[in-house]
Amino acid sequence: MQATGKFVIESMDLDNAGNASSTIKKMLTEAGVSKSIIKRVSIAIYEAEINVVIHSYGGTCTYYIDDEKIRVVFEDTGPGIEDIEQALEPGFSTANNQAITYGFGAGMGLMNIKNASDEFDITSSHLGTTLDIKIYFN
Amino acid sequence: MTINKIVEVIRGKELTPPIKPANFELKYAFSGDLMSDALMVLREAPEGFCEAGILITGNVTMQSIRTAEMLDFAAILITRGKVPTKQVLDQAYNSGIIVLGTNDVSFTVCGKLYSAGIKGLSDL
């Protein structure tokens, strides 16, 4: 299987957050990828999508699928994560009330993405954050 | 436990049109209003837990449906008499997720379902 595509993610658009993860989940299901792998991919992409929605000025999600893995790159336009190590600590959150109303902002998202991924790389400055994750199918 | 039996136990109703056959059995449940909690705790739940499971929540937003979808929950049970919007119900139906509703608070409905035989993650 070879597929690539890009989604635009709008800031604070909590009603539409999840479109990228839902679409990719359906693609992997149709391709016959195992359910446990699909669950990890779905959770990682969904949490990352939510992070772009609730913490950034907006961004994109680009995916690359081949026979052995999926790579997903999230890029946003700021304001960036001040301290990545702190953001990875369970319970640390800077989410606002609207995000909390929708059930997020518990401070576990980034750690959950890391734990669900086989490879996890994140860089951030005030100009934006780039999250690059890979999950292997076998 | 069939959907009809669950509706009877919780004195609630099915808010989506029938999705599964009448004899479809729900066996497990997880309760919470924090979707990130559900996503973290259930990431490595035993296979089949969510597929025969109910997500019990007072969170009536689109993201409770999305969370149920990512985790492969068969059903979501909205507590405290909250009414999901048509957009939320349509999203659930299109994702194959049964939406149930009850006026009970989450604590009460969890007790009723547990007493009736629905199991939680700690029981497995």
Side-chain angles (χ1 to χ4, degrees):
Chain A
M1 177 175 47
Q2 295 283 341
T4 184
K6 183 181 261 192
F7 298 90
V8 173
I9 305 171
E10 305 285 347
S11 178
M12 290 319 291
D13 184 10
L14 276 156
D15 281 331
N16 287 309
N19 282 345
S21 30
S22 182
T23 306
I24 292 169
K25 182 174 192 270
K26 287 188 179 101
M27 286 172 65
L28 296 181
T29 303
E30 280 166 19
V33 174
S34 84
K35 286 183 97 169
S36 60
I37 297 287
I38 292 176
K39 193 167 280 188
R40 280 172 51 206
V41 172
S42 304
I43 289 170
I45 300 177
Y46 180 51
E47 288 272 25
E49 217 179 330
I50 292 286
N51 275 350
V52 175
V53 170
I54 68 179
H55 292 297
S56 87
Y57 303 139
T60 56
C61 161
T62 311
Y63 64 89
Y64 310 86
I65 302 171
D66 60 32
D67 288 336
E68 65 170 9
K69 67 180 181 306
I70 178 168
R71 176 183 175 213
V72 192
V73 181
F74 291 85
E75 292 169 292
D76 69 49
T77 53
I81 302 169
E82 207 167 293
D83 183 337
I84 290 173
E85 288 305 313
Q86 193 176 33
L88 276 163
E89 282 174 18
F92 178 81
S93 177
T94 58
N96 63 21
N97 283 340
Q98 194 183 346
I100 292 165
T101 301
Y102 277 75
F104 290 92
M108 292 181 290
L110 202 54
M111 188 187 65
N112 205 14
I113 298 167
K114 188 177 184 184
N115 289 341
S117 305
D118 290 315
E119 292 178 35
F120 172 95
D121 185 55
I122 187 166
T123 54
S124 190
S125 77
H126 67 283
L127 297 173
T129 299
T130 299
L131 171 69
D132 188 337
I133 57 172
K134 293 189 188 102
I135 295 175
Y136 291 85
F137 299 145
N138 289 308
Chain B
M1 195 180 302
T2 63
I3 294 150
N4 282 345
K5 180 69 183 166
I6 284 173
V7 167
E8 185 190 318
V9 168
I10 63 173
R11 289 182 303 156
K13 54 187 170 187
E14 195 171 352
L15 302 176
T16 36
I19 292 172
K20 307 277 189 193
N23 62 353
F24 180 76
E25 296 262 339
L26 289 161
K27 300 174 182 170
Y28 311 107
F30 179 88
S31 174
D33 291 345
L34 271 175
M35 297 301 108
S36 11
D37 234 358
L39 288 162
M40 190 179 73
V41 173
L42 297 169
R43 194 183 69 237
E44 291 178 359
E47 204 165 324
F49 181 88
C50 296
E51 288 81 354
I54 314 164
L55 176 61
I56 301 170
T57 183
N59 185 326
V60 75
T61 68
M62 187 65 91
Q63 295 314 322
S64 57
I65 305 298
R66 288 291 195 197
T67 299
E69 180 189 351
M70 296 312 147
L71 290 167
D72 292 322
F73 267 105
I76 178 162
L77 169 52
I78 307 290
T79 59
R80 310 207 305 267
K82 291 185 178 180
V83 182
T85 62
K86 184 178 180 305
Q87 190 192 8
V88 166
L89 289 174
D90 287 348
Q91 177 66 38
Y93 183 74
N94 292 334
S95 303
I97 298 164
I98 303 158
V99 182
L100 306 171
T102 177
N103 287 330
D104 283 340
V105 297
S106 294
F107 175 78
T108 305
V109 82
C110 287
K112 285 180 179 176
L113 287 174
Y114 195 83
S115 300
I118 296 290
K119 298 296 179 199
L121 208 50
S122 329
D123 301 308
L124 302 182

